[in-house]
Amino acid sequence: MSWIYLLLAGAFEIGWPVGLKISQVPETRGIGIAIAVVFMAASGYLLWLAQKDIPIGTAYAVWTGIGGVGTFIVGAMFFGDALSLMRILGVLLIVAGVAALKFSG
């Protein structure tokens, strides 16, 4: 169950930078900040649950990896963030690192 909590925590980790991005527009500032706070709280709570059985270093690396890769994808798909071979390779290295942590122990 801890790994499910951790995967969900990573998914919620994507929401708060998206909320902060949404808050950059004056008309959506309030809702963007609210989204960021809610997602940050949910992500932190689920990470806390996951750390009951998963070592802190592994949990944190997986959590930030999921959040980073997910935010990269959302940024490219919805906010016009640049895609280049080097950026994609960098994200693939993060994915490989997270997979190595999951399957090493």
Side-chain angles (χ1 to χ4, degrees):
M1 192 69 185
S2 292
W3 280 98
I4 292 170
Y5 290 144
L6 186 56
L7 293 174
L8 289 171
F12 277 100
E13 183 70 0
I14 299 164
W16 72 266
V18 172
L20 292 179
K21 182 68 172 175
I22 291 168
S23 76
Q24 297 300 314
V25 178
E27 295 79 20
T28 57
R29 182 158 293 135
I31 190 70
I33 292 171
I35 289 169
V37 169
V38 167
F39 275 77
M40 194 179 300
S43 179
Y45 177 70
L46 289 163
L47 177 63
W48 176 76
L49 289 174
Q51 287 178 341
K52 290 182 179 184
D53 295 317
I54 300 171
I56 186 172
T58 300
Y60 184 73
V62 171
W63 179 64
T64 58
I66 293 169
V69 170
T71 304
F72 174 84
I73 292 168
V74 169
M77 290 178 65
F78 298 105
F79 295 103
D81 290 358
L83 286 177
S84 69
L85 180 60
M86 290 305 290
R87 287 175 53 91
I88 293 168
L89 288 175
V91 167
L92 291 175
L93 286 171
I94 293 170
V95 171
V98 167
L101 286 170
K102 164 64 174 119
F103 296 116
S104 67

